[in-house]
Amino acid sequence: DLTPPIYIEFIKGESDPSLGSITPDKGLVTGETIVKIIGNDFRKSMEGFEGQVLKVFFGESVVDYVYGDNKLVIEDHKTLSVTVPKSSKPGVVDVRVENPDGSPAIPPLKFTYISKPEIKDVNPKKIFTNDTQTEITITGEMFMPGAKVVLGGETKEKDEVKSGDVVHGTGIYEVRGGKNIERSVVGGVIATSITVVDDKTIKVKFPEAFDLKSSSLIIINPDGGISKEYDNFKHELPIPTKPLVLEAIPGYESTVQL
C-alpha cells in the first residue's frame, strides 16, 4: 500500500516586521538599560488578534507591551524603546521582535550583556605591605578568566580621569536612569599572581606597595565588567620588631648611647 502524502501548509502572518538597529547594543546583566530599536511595521495591536501583544525577546527573556507601562514603548511603527531585562549570565543574545499576529521581525539583532562581578569575602582580611607571598582568596560572583584584581585603586567617571592617572581598565559600572554609566579604574597596583579558580573564586598575590591611597579591592573582567570597591580588607605597614637586647654605652658629657 502506498502511504498518502503529508502536506504542510505555511501561513504567512498579516504583518511583515523587520529590524535595523539597536542602540546601545550592550548593558549590564542587572538590566535596566533603555535601548532604542529601529525597524519597520511594528504593530501595537491587530484586528483578529485581540488579546495578543507585541513582544521583544532578549535571548529567552521577553518584554511584553503593556499599556501605560514604560518597559516597552511603541513610539511609532518604526521605533521601539525597551528597558532591557536582567540576565543570569554575561554574553551575546539574539534580540527578536514579534507582532501580535506572531510574525517575527528578521533577522534578529544582537545585544551583549556585560558582567557585574561582586566581591563578597576575602581571606585573609589583612596582609602587610611588604608581604608578597601570602595568597589571598577572594570569593564572590561572576568572576571571569582573564580578570584583573586591583589593590588600592578607585573608580572615576571619564570626565574625572586626569592625564597623569594610571588607568587599569574602563567599562560599564552602573545603569542610571536607563543610561549606561562608564567608569575607569585608576591608581593602585595589579595583583602579580591571579588564578581564577571558577566564577566564584579567585586567588591572588600582591607586590610590595607602600604608598597606596586605600586598601580597597576592585575586579575588572575582560568584558569590561567592574566590581564595586570592596573595603573590608587591610593592607598595612608592618610593625617593627622590638630589639631582643638593649645595651647602654657610656658616652661623652653625661650621655648614654643605646
Side-chain angles (χ1 to χ4, degrees):
D1 295 337
L2 295 176
T3 303
I6 299 174
Y7 296 97
I8 299 175
E9 183 179 7
F10 294 92
I11 301 175
K12 189 177 187 300
E14 295 184 12
S15 63
D16 188 22
S18 62
L19 295 173
S21 64
I22 180 170
T23 309
D25 61 358
K26 60 184 176 180
L28 291 177
V29 292
T30 51
E32 299 303 316
T33 299
I34 296 176
V35 298
K36 190 84 70 177
I37 296 177
I38 304 298
N40 195 32
D41 200 19
F42 299 145
R43 307 284 189 94
K44 183 181 299 184
S45 60
M46 296 180 64
E47 186 176 351
F49 297 93
E50 288 77 11
Q52 301 300 314
V53 296
L54 183 142
K55 304 174 185 290
V56 179
F57 294 85
F58 287 80
E60 299 302 317
S61 299
V62 59
V63 182
D64 291 332
Y65 171 74
V66 178
Y67 179 77
D69 186 352
N70 290 329
K71 294 292 184 182
L72 171 51
V73 178
I74 305 174
E75 298 184 9
D76 53 46
H77 72 283
K78 293 185 176 182
T79 311
L80 304 176
S81 178
V82 191
T83 299
V84 176
K86 65 175 62 175
S87 174
S88 61
K89 59 183 180 180
V92 180
V93 298
D94 285 341
V95 178
R96 298 175 290 119
V97 176
E98 185 179 289
N99 272 341
D101 65 344
S103 295
I106 53 177
L109 300 171
K110 301 293 183 181
F111 183 84
T112 303
Y113 279 104
I114 303 299
S115 65
K116 185 59 181 176
E118 179 184 3
I119 301 174
K120 292 186 174 180
D121 195 22
V122 174
N123 184 40
K125 296 186 181 298
K126 181 179 74 172
I127 63 170
F128 292 127
T129 53
N130 62 346
D131 185 349
T132 62
Q133 299 304 312
T134 298
E135 188 172 64
I136 300 160
T137 300
I138 301 173
T139 54
E141 290 184 350
M142 214 167 284
F143 303 152
M144 300 175 69
K148 298 177 183 178
V149 181
V150 179
L151 168 65
E154 61 180 326
T155 64
K156 292 183 178 181
E157 293 192 19
K158 283 186 175 181
D159 58 354
E160 298 175 332
V161 177
K162 301 176 182 178
S163 58
D165 286 337
V166 177
V167 177
H168 300 295
T170 299
I172 301 174
Y173 184 77
E174 62 181 334
V175 178
R176 190 187 306 155
K179 295 182 179 181
N180 294 333
I181 305 299
E182 290 193 349
R183 295 181 74 93
S184 297
V185 179
V186 302
V189 294
I190 295 179
T192 51
S193 170
I194 303 174
T195 303
V196 180
V197 179
D198 53 38
D199 64 339
K200 293 178 170 50
T201 311
I202 294 180
K203 294 181 180 293
V204 299
K205 293 179 181 179
F206 289 110
E208 280 190 339
F210 298 96
D211 56 352
L212 301 179
K213 291 182 178 180
S214 72
S215 299
S216 65
L217 298 174
I218 302 173
I219 291 178
I220 309 171
N221 273 339
D223 69 345
I226 300 173
S227 72
K228 291 185 177 179
E229 297 175 21
Y230 182 83
D231 295 321
N232 193 20
F233 178 74
K234 301 298 181 185
H235 191 245
E236 300 179 341
L237 289 170
I239 301 173
T241 56
K242 62 183 179 181
L244 298 178
V245 178
L246 186 63
E247 181 181 4
I249 302 174
Y252 295 101
E253 298 180 356
S254 303
T255 62
V256 176
Q257 180 179 353
L258 299 178

